[in-house]
Amino acid sequence: MAEMKPKPKQPEPDNITRALDGLAADNLEAVRTAVESEIAAILVKHGLQSYRFLILHDEVDSITSYHTDKLYAEATLDGEQKDVLLLVNSSGGRIEPAYLISKALKRLAKNKFVAVVPRRAKSAATLIALGADEIHMGMMSELGPIDPQINGLPALSLGNALDVIAELVCKFPDSAALLGTYISENVPVRVLGYYQRVNESAVQYAERLLNGKNLGGLATPQDTANRLVNHYKDHSFVIDFEEAVSLLGEMVREKTPEYFAADEIFKFLDVVGYFCRRNKKKIWVVGGGKGFYWADLRDDG
């Protein structure tokens, strides 16, 4: 009688398979578990498990107090003080909560607060990074101008528009009365003043986060903050690694274990996010690995 050979052991499914199986079953907790497991494995692989790892990965919604409250809750979960590593992937949002969480993470860190940007940390997300001791970036990483947006338009735009109108009046003096009436009826002085103060507040927040840091060249925190808020003409302008170094000096790092780990985590979440979108879901990850959430877009309509 022929000897029965044992069946070969089937390999354990990897975390991307677990995540996609959970998505197919509409099982949020299964996806969360797979995401948390993958993040933990990547941190161990790169020797970063001693950090308190936090993540702000939201490509859909703007930063609000919701995001910063989740980060704060995770950062203070067990009362143990560790160095903080924050992965940031966001297009920005409100300046005030971004400033508060940046200051809080710096104070909660044992020795250092590290921000790592695998792809995009724009506007208010850039402000969060400014409070870190180090910002880790790669060739595809980008920071952005910290120009506040009001109703989808930059606060600077109103002042720029008035400059254009002034030039038109100089060129066509007969239009002065017409344009003056239009401005007085459509742009109240209090609105112009408010827009100006919002921009000045952004400069102050950035300057406070940069105080005490060794910046690029002979720049002061005030000069650097003013440049980040008022210099760039486009809200989406790319501040890449080289330009970030010229602005922020030694606090910007590249080719580090922190960056390579964040890049792997981003790629994993990007795959999960792709299949979520195929299933009409928007995803975000805020806090730690357990901070994976989704919303069913089919419920919106």
Side-chain angles (χ1 to χ4, degrees):
M1 184 175 182
E3 185 179 349
M4 295 285 292
K5 292 184 178 180
K7 291 183 179 180
K9 187 177 179 180
Q10 293 297 315
E12 288 289 323
D14 59 17
N15 285 317
I16 192 66
T17 301
R18 291 190 181 99
L20 298 186
D21 287 347
L23 177 62
D26 205 31
N27 186 339
L28 176 59
E29 194 55 40
V31 182
R32 275 185 182 154
T33 300
V35 169
E36 185 180 27
S37 176
E38 184 68 12
I39 289 173
I42 291 171
L43 293 176
V44 169
K45 172 184 173 182
H46 292 276
L48 304 175
Q49 61 270 33
S50 63
Y51 277 107
R52 182 178 299 282
F53 179 74
L54 303 172
I55 185 166
L56 171 52
H57 173 87
D58 192 338
E59 298 180 316
V60 178
D61 297 313
S62 298
I63 295 170
T64 66
S65 57
Y66 165 85
H67 297 81
T68 56
D69 287 347
K70 290 286 185 185
L71 290 172
Y72 180 72
E74 184 71 19
T76 56
L77 188 61
D78 56 14
E80 186 179 358
Q81 196 173 31
K82 297 181 178 180
D83 288 341
V84 173
L85 176 60
L86 172 67
L87 185 158
V88 188
N89 185 54
S90 167
S91 296
R94 288 183 54 207
I95 294 290
E96 297 85 359
Y99 171 74
L100 279 173
I101 195 61
S102 187
K103 284 203 70 175
L105 294 181
K106 171 62 177 172
R107 291 185 63 185
L108 290 167
K110 183 177 182 180
N111 294 309
K112 65 178 181 178
F113 162 32
V114 177
V116 58
V117 183
R119 292 299 182 272
R120 304 174 77 243
K122 309 291 276 190
S123 191
T126 293
L127 187 70
I128 293 175
L130 294 186
D133 298 291
E134 301 169 5
I135 303 174
H136 294 234
M137 301 175 65
M139 287 189 289
M140 297 301 293
S141 304
E142 56 178 293
L143 305 178
I146 313 172
D147 52 334
Q149 305 289 291
I150 301 174
N151 297 326
L153 294 173
L156 278 173
S157 64
L158 181 56
N160 293 339
L162 291 177
D163 290 340
V164 171
I165 290 172
E167 291 177 9
L168 286 172
V169 169
C170 290
K171 189 173 181 179
F172 305 105
D174 292 343
S175 67
L178 177 63
L179 291 173
T181 300
Y182 175 81
I183 292 171
S184 65
E185 291 177 353
N186 292 278
V187 188
V189 173
R190 65 180 183 278
V191 172
L192 180 58
Y194 171 69
Y195 276 39
Q196 182 66 30
R197 289 176 69 86
V198 166
N199 253 51
E200 292 171 356
S201 292
V203 173
Q204 286 184 324
Y205 285 138
E207 181 183 354
R208 292 180 183 188
L209 292 175
L210 290 170
N211 275 334
K213 292 182 169 66
N214 185 15
L215 303 175
L218 300 175
T220 66
Q222 184 177 23
D223 292 338
T224 302
N226 188 65
R227 184 175 181 85
L228 283 166
V229 175
N230 295 308
H231 172 71
Y232 299 98
K233 304 304 182 186
D234 177 14
H235 184 65
S236 300
F237 194 95
V238 173
I239 298 176
D240 62 9
F241 173 78
E242 287 79 8
E243 183 149 2
V245 169
S246 72
L247 287 168
L248 303 171
E250 296 177 358
M251 67 183 291
V252 182
R253 313 287 177 87
E254 70 170 340
K255 298 179 180 177
T256 63
E258 287 86 350
Y259 171 74
F260 292 126
D263 189 53
E264 283 190 45
I265 292 169
F266 171 82
K267 289 174 180 175
F268 175 81
L269 293 175
D270 196 42
V271 172
V272 175
Y274 169 78
F275 284 98
C276 281
R277 291 189 293 274
R278 289 279 302 269
N279 283 271
K280 305 297 185 184
K281 297 182 187 295
K282 63 180 181 181
I283 70 156
W284 60 99
V285 190
V286 183
K290 288 185 182 296
F292 182 95
Y293 303 93
W294 72 40
D296 196 327
L297 296 176
R298 289 167 296 194
D299 291 342
D300 293 349

